[in-house]
Amino acid sequence: SECVRMLSSGAREKKFVGMLLATKIGDADARALERVARAKSFSPFLTSMLRAAPAPVTAEDLAGDDDDDATTTTMMKRETIEREREERARSSHALSLAACAALCRSPRVAARDDMLERLPLFINAMMRRGRYASISPAGVHDACEAVTAIVSSGKEDAEAIAAEGGALVACSIAIRDAAAETR
């Protein structure tokens, strides 16, 4: 219930804490996973976390460098801001994928329409494509777990969407990459 309260909050910080708590719910507690998945305003927040992209650096972000070495300082500042924003997006992806993998341990949650709609995002994460290019092996594993649960949920169209999105190829790539990373 604490997790649901946090996820239903209007504050992003509380939603993040709620997502962390959601990853700790055990497999055997399907009802708790279902309550978490139904938390007020959680589903759109989770999807936005999966779609997070680093915000571009603006002139306003770089303002304030008026010394002789301003060009070098501005370039370094731009690189620092870009790295920080990329790390924030990467962290958002990792946490949201972990939460989805945990929630999909409930077959009823895995069969929800919102999970089915996220299937292409999970497949992109498995393939480390686009915004997921630098996702960690754990993030890829979480995406694989979510895809497997959604496809096995029996939800109508899940197999077709997975096939269309290249889930089998994505799975092969994930396995190959995991093997390469353990060597």
Side-chain angles (χ1 to χ4, degrees), residues 5-121:
R5 189 179 65 73
M6 299 290 254
L7 292 170
S8 298
S9 168
R12 290 179 63 84
E13 295 79 14
K14 288 186 179 183
K15 287 186 185 295
F16 286 120
V17 172
M19 287 176 67
L20 281 170
L21 292 173
T23 65
K24 305 300 179 201
I25 297 173
D27 298 3
D29 201 350
R31 283 194 184 130
L33 293 169
E34 291 165 27
R35 281 193 308 273
V36 166
R38 289 190 313 265
K40 179 183 165 199
S41 73
F42 176 53
S43 183
F45 177 75
L46 184 56
T47 300
S48 73
M49 295 277 293
L50 286 166
R51 290 188 172 143
V57 178
T58 65
E60 189 175 296
D61 295 327
L62 302 172
D65 293 328
D66 295 330
D67 59 4
D68 293 334
D69 206 13
T71 303
T72 303
T73 303
T74 300
M75 286 176 44
M76 289 171 43
K77 188 173 183 180
R78 173 181 294 279
E79 290 171 6
T80 300
I81 293 169
E82 285 173 348
R83 269 194 313 276
E84 288 171 355
R85 291 181 179 175
E86 287 169 7
E87 182 55 37
R88 224 176 292 137
R90 205 171 17 257
S91 295
S92 292
H93 297 150
L95 179 56
S96 56
L97 287 167
C100 287
L103 292 171
C104 283
R105 291 181 193 136
S106 162
R108 291 180 74 175
V109 174
R112 287 173 48 109
D113 288 340
D114 54 357
M115 286 298 181
L116 185 65
E117 291 166 5
R118 294 180 186 119
L119 202 49
L121 298 173

Side-chain angles (χ1 to χ4, degrees), residues 123-129 132-138 140-141 144 169-183:
I123 293 168
N124 283 337
M126 289 168 62
M127 296 176 85
R128 291 183 166 155
R129 204 166 36 192
Y132 304 107
S134 60
I135 194 122
S136 71
V140 172
H141 180 267
C144 289
V169 171
C171 184
S172 300
I173 290 170
I175 291 169
R176 181 201 63 205
D177 289 351
E181 289 170 2
T182 58
R183 289 185 193 144

